[in-house]
Amino acid sequence: MASNKSGARKRVTINEIAQMAQTSKTTVSFYLNGKTDRMSEDTQQRIRDAIAATGYEPSPLARGMNAKKSFLLGVIIGDITNTFSNQIVKGIDAVASANGYRMLVCSSNFDKQNELAYIERLLALGVDGFIVQPTAQFKEITKSIADAGKQMVFIDSKLYDFTSNWVKTDNYEASYQAIEQCVAKGYERFLVITAAPGLISSRIERFSGFVDALERHDMTFSQFLLENDRVDADALRAWLGEHIDGKTPTMIFAPNCWALPDIYMACRDFYPLMPDRVGLLGFDNTEWVSVASPSVSVVVQPAAEEGQTAARILLDQIAEKGEIDPHQVLDCRVQWGTSTL
């Protein structure tokens, strides 16, 4: 980029690069798209020097019109405000940038209509592929992506009954082992606060791991369902009051990471009972759980690695190489806080 007299950055055009390199616009375009087989080394060096001198960076859209690719990736995240999502996006960007791609990131707020609107806009911009953290209804709105012939990778979850590329974590095993440890710590009553699973694998697997761990010890549980993927704080507080007697060691399991902050606040009356008579175990939210008082025990997913893996899968699919396994599972770990024994 060059600067004008006011100090603002001015975009350098391909015509200016051609003039500086004493060659044609077409030759510069060929160079930028890697078509240098019949180009002399002297011409290539002059173009390189012009680009270095000006900081020229080709427009992704213009580049896409020439190469039939936009070098843009559409990324749809459920909630961009939390650290888990931020780390996913950073992971995607690290791999995308290294391969000459840029991201267009959208936050669906776990809303089906938002997802659909973003997909239509991203397709209109000509993105080469999608990385999506799906809602429970996402299967219904993928037809437009398939009809456009675009590749897609699900991140954090996959949709059952839907053939797709995906990267996720070992949700079942992580939940199972964490609940096993909670039983071993002496908790006798278990509560789970969760959204309807739909076809989202992470929700199904975390809930299944929770249930199977308790069944192994012939233990039961009570469930509070989060309607429409929202936390009704008043209703939740009332329900907790009905199920926590202050004497029986009771574990609250919150497997939906987006709901954990509201669930933690709804447990405020029970903070003095933590961790021996009331426990709380959630997922992710590492930006605040360790500094909260009491600090919260969480299963931590390798978010940045998920983003990097999803980007590698998508770029491999776009290039039609087939060199990378399009179905990958990553390991989690438990970060124990003072909300549990």
Side-chain angles (χ1 to χ4, degrees):
M1 295 283 189
S3 298
N4 59 25
K5 293 181 180 179
S6 65
R9 302 285 281 177
K10 176 188 174 184
R11 176 172 289 279
V12 177
T13 68
I14 193 171
N15 285 326
E16 291 171 300
I17 296 297
Q19 291 173 11
M20 291 181 66
Q22 298 179 351
T23 188
S24 69
K25 175 182 173 182
T26 300
T27 300
V28 175
S29 179
F30 281 160
Y31 175 86
L32 294 172
N33 288 286
K35 300 176 181 179
T36 58
D37 292 348
R38 300 181 180 180
M39 193 179 302
S40 71
E41 179 56 37
D42 180 64
T43 299
Q44 293 182 55
Q45 188 59 52
R46 292 200 309 272
I47 295 173
R48 277 195 291 269
D49 290 344
I51 290 173
T54 60
Y56 173 76
E57 190 171 322
S59 162
L61 289 178
R63 198 174 157 196
M65 287 186 286
N66 291 327
K68 296 185 179 180
K69 285 185 180 180
S70 65
F71 291 89
L72 294 172
L73 303 181
V75 179
I76 301 178
I77 298 294
D79 177 9
I80 199 63
T81 62
N82 60 63
T83 296
F84 175 69
S85 296
N86 292 338
Q87 291 301 313
I88 284 179
V89 170
K90 286 182 178 179
I92 295 170
D93 184 57
V95 173
S97 297
N99 287 274
Y101 281 79
R102 294 292 182 265
M103 302 180 301
L104 296 176
V105 183
C106 307
S107 182
S108 72
N109 295 316
F110 297 101
D111 181 270
K112 173 184 173 181
Q113 295 306 316
N114 284 344
E115 282 182 328
L116 181 58
Y118 283 133
I119 287 169
E120 291 176 346
R121 286 173 172 80
L122 291 169
L123 285 172
L125 288 170
V127 297
D128 295 332
F130 290 84
I131 295 175
V132 180
Q133 185 181 25
T135 64
Q137 301 83 24
F138 192 82
K139 181 180 178 181
E140 303 171 25
I141 57 178
T142 56
K143 187 175 184 299
S144 54
I145 294 177
D147 288 347
K150 302 296 184 180
Q151 295 292 337
M152 177 175 61
V153 176
F154 287 133
I155 193 164
D156 189 38
S157 299
K158 64 177 181 178
L159 296 184
Y160 286 115
D161 294 335
F162 185 81
T163 302
S164 62
N165 309 312
W166 47 262
V167 55
K168 64 185 190 67
T169 55
D170 60 340
N171 290 288
Y172 175 89
E173 188 66 22
S175 295
Y176 186 98
Q177 294 298 332
I179 296 302
E180 276 271 289
Q181 293 180 64
C182 290
V183 172
K185 291 173 184 289
Y187 291 104
E188 300 172 6
R189 178 180 295 169
F190 285 79
L191 310 177
V192 61
I193 303 167
T194 184
L199 293 175
I200 296 182
S201 65
S202 60
R203 296 185 182 185
I204 295 170
E205 292 165 2
R206 291 174 191 178
F207 185 75
S208 297
F210 168 80
V211 172
D212 289 354
L214 293 180
E215 285 186 349
R216 181 172 182 270
H217 296 277
D218 296 319
M219 301 179 75
T220 60
F221 64 92
S222 297
Q223 180 179 3
F224 182 91
L225 188 64
L226 301 173
E227 299 287 350
N228 301 314
D229 287 3
R230 296 290 183 271
V231 178
D232 183 332
D234 292 336
L236 178 55
R237 278 194 293 269
W239 183 83
L240 289 170
E242 294 170 1
H243 289 82
I244 297 174
D245 61 16
K247 298 178 182 179
T248 309
T250 301
M251 170 57 61
I252 303 166
F253 181 48
N256 303 112
C257 58
W258 51 266
L260 184 58
D262 290 329
I263 293 170
Y264 181 72
M265 293 299 294
C267 291
R268 183 180 299 171
D269 292 343
F270 306 104
Y271 292 169
L273 301 179
M274 293 181 179
D276 54 339
R277 284 170 288 168
V278 173
L280 175 62
L281 173 67
F283 264 76
D284 299 310
N285 288 274
T286 53
E287 72 272 25
W288 63 269
V289 293
S290 61
V291 296
S293 183
S295 58
V296 185
S297 296
V298 287
V299 178
V300 180
Q301 301 180 93
E305 185 181 354
E306 281 192 66
Q308 293 166 3
T309 304
R312 292 189 187 104
I313 293 172
L314 181 58
L315 295 181
D316 180 75
Q317 294 293 313
I318 291 172
E320 299 181 346
K321 292 182 178 179
E323 297 175 351
I324 299 177
D325 185 350
H327 308 130
Q328 297 199 34
V329 180
L330 307 178
D331 293 332
C332 299
R333 63 181 176 84
V334 180
Q335 177 178 299
W336 295 106
T338 57
S339 68
T340 56
L341 291 168

